[in-house]
Amino acid sequence: MLQCNHRKVLPITFLLAIFIVAMGIAGCAKKEAGRQAEQPEQKPTLVFADAGWDSIRFHNDVAGFIIKNGYGYKTDVITGNTPVTFTGLRRGDIDIYMEVWTDNIIDEYTDALEKGDIIEVSVNFDDDMQGLYVPTYVIKGDPSRGIKASAPGLRTVSDLAKYWQVFRDPEDKNKGRIYGAIPGWAVDKIITEKIKNYGLDKYYNIFHPGSDTALSTSMVQAVEKGVPWVGYYWEPTWIIGKYDMTLLQEEPYSKEKWEKGYMCQFPAVKVTVAINKDLTKDAPDVVEFLKKYKTSSSITSEALAYMQEKNVGTDEAAKYFLKNHKDTWTKWVPSEIAGKIEAALNK
């Protein structure tokens, strides 16, 4: 037996309705695609490294304010210690590292550069110093406070031998006191060796504070009272930014002298701005800005001192810098970007 296949014949009006709906959907899709094409591609959120100290947070906030208000990117921060955040930079979890103390991680830093994981775009500052400091009034006096110079010929570390009585140890009247570094810090050994090799151990006892807070407190208390003090310190720090301190001179740094008993200045550490390699394609305009980013140890210390005096955070210190160092940061960006930043500051 033969079977017949029966098909329903659709009315012409129904077919026409389907055609109209299909054309409408296609038209809407085309309009939506057109709107998407007209919209600019969404900018990525750029992530900074916070390795745990105020100066890197200050530079994060300076760069972040410029990037957000000048270039229109959102920003974020990943917090951790140096090893964790630097690993994040290499891996791409972090885009921007504003303060890489290169000597502290020289092997990892060099390896990351050589493998192309990161790019060094600029030197933030390389005038950071450390060594033996005295309040400047010890050398020059301070007429406004009625302080006379107690060691007017003091210029170098070696000169301390002539002035040990000025810095007399309160626990040993036969010697002076030099405040050393913190036990356990690598620099504590260096300072101890320096003092011995300069022959100053004949004239001074080395006092080892138990913490960086104890060391800074001893300096601040002496300066506030206007009495002599000599000891190890470093910059950039808020104390160096706030108080007038003088770093005692040594022979200029050389590898030979350093390896023979540290008989010269501490080498300055190159503090760089580094980025993850992918930032060059994700935000090339920001990379161009970061290539020009350069401050100084004194600028950084000034910002830290401002935070201490005003009891404010690094975000306010960043605004203080942008308002008071226009000649510095306007060199980093095009004029139209500078205009946007100034407008944001004045809101």
Side-chain angles (χ1 to χ4, degrees):
M1 177 186 273
L2 295 175
Q3 290 184 326
C4 295
N5 293 323
H6 298 278
R7 288 186 251 171
K8 289 185 178 181
V9 178
L10 297 176
I12 188 69
T13 54
F14 183 72
L15 292 173
L16 182 60
I18 292 175
F19 176 76
I20 292 171
V21 171
M23 290 301 292
I25 293 172
C28 290
K30 186 175 181 180
K31 287 180 181 178
E32 181 62 26
R35 281 196 293 267
Q36 290 178 356
E38 291 172 4
Q39 292 177 352
E41 185 179 349
Q42 187 174 6
K43 293 183 176 182
T45 297
L46 305 185
V47 181
F48 287 89
D50 175 2
W53 57 86
D54 279 342
S55 58
I56 192 172
R57 295 179 185 126
F58 161 69
H59 288 293
N60 284 350
D61 284 335
V62 170
F65 192 94
I66 292 172
I67 289 169
K68 285 185 285 186
N69 294 287
Y71 292 92
Y73 292 82
K74 293 180 180 179
T75 65
D76 202 351
V77 174
I78 288 181
T79 303
N81 56 28
T82 298
V84 168
T85 52
F86 190 73
T87 298
L89 181 70
R90 295 190 71 167
R91 209 165 48 192
D93 302 323
I94 290 171
D95 300 296
I96 304 168
Y97 213 118
M98 292 300 298
E99 228 186 69
V100 185
W101 288 75
T102 55
D103 281 12
N104 296 346
I105 54 169
I106 191 62
D107 292 337
E108 297 90 337
Y109 189 70
T110 302
D111 184 64
L113 288 172
E114 290 176 349
K115 290 181 177 176
D117 297 335
I118 69 170
I119 300 169
E120 179 184 303
V121 291
S122 68
V123 176
N124 191 337
F125 56 86
D126 57 4
D127 59 343
D128 50 284
M129 304 298 290
Q130 56 184 319
L132 295 180
Y133 286 81
V134 299
T136 301
Y137 59 71
V138 169
I139 302 170
K140 298 181 179 180
D142 186 350
S144 67
R145 299 176 66 188
I147 300 173
K148 294 183 178 180
S150 53
L154 181 58
R155 297 289 182 273
T156 70
V157 172
S158 297
D159 290 338
L160 284 169
K162 297 181 290 186
Y163 293 104
W164 68 268
Q165 292 176 321
V166 172
F167 305 100
R168 198 184 296 272
D169 189 335
E171 297 178 0
D172 182 356
K173 300 300 181 181
N174 296 315
K175 284 189 173 183
R177 171 180 284 189
I178 293 175
Y179 286 82
I182 313 307
W185 288 11
V187 73
D188 184 45
K189 174 187 173 183
I190 295 171
I191 289 293
T192 301
E193 285 293 312
K194 273 181 175 288
I195 291 171
K196 178 182 177 181
N197 293 334
Y198 280 118
L200 294 175
D201 56 331
K202 299 176 185 177
Y203 305 97
Y204 289 87
N205 296 316
I206 305 174
F207 182 84
H208 299 276
S211 67
D212 57 343
T213 300
L215 175 60
S216 61
T217 298
S218 71
M219 183 195 297
V220 170
Q221 288 179 344
V223 173
E224 295 290 347
K225 293 177 182 177
V227 299
W229 183 94
V230 59
Y232 170 75
Y233 218 67
W234 65 95
E235 50 186 292
T237 58
W238 72 265
I239 287 179
I240 300 301
K242 181 175 181 179
Y243 299 109
D244 188 1
M245 303 295 293
T246 294
L247 175 64
L248 296 179
Q249 299 173 13
E250 299 180 69
E251 289 291 319
Y253 172 80
S254 74
K255 185 178 179 181
E256 181 182 1
K257 291 176 182 176
W258 187 257
E259 292 177 349
K260 291 183 178 179
Y262 310 108
M263 298 289 284
C264 60
Q265 294 175 347
F266 280 84
V269 178
K270 187 174 72 167
V271 181
T272 68
V273 177
I275 61 172
N276 180 269
K277 64 181 187 304
D278 291 336
L279 194 65
T280 55
K281 64 176 184 291
D282 293 339
D285 48 354
V286 170
V287 174
E288 288 304 309
F289 148 59
L290 292 173
K291 286 179 179 179
K292 298 180 179 69
Y293 194 103
K294 183 174 179 60
T295 63
S296 66
S297 179
S298 60
I299 283 176
T300 306
S301 291
E302 178 188 342
L304 298 177
Y306 178 82
M307 290 170 56
Q308 182 74 16
E309 291 171 3
K310 303 297 183 181
N311 193 28
V312 297
T314 53
D315 56 338
E316 290 300 318
K319 292 176 183 177
Y320 167 83
F321 164 79
L322 291 166
K323 290 176 180 178
N324 291 276
H325 289 277
K326 183 178 175 181
D327 290 346
T328 298
W329 67 262
T330 51
K331 297 175 183 176
W332 304 339
V333 298
S335 58
E336 64 272 18
I337 298 297
K340 293 180 181 180
I341 296 163
E342 290 196 85
L345 285 170
N346 294 325
K347 283 183 179 178

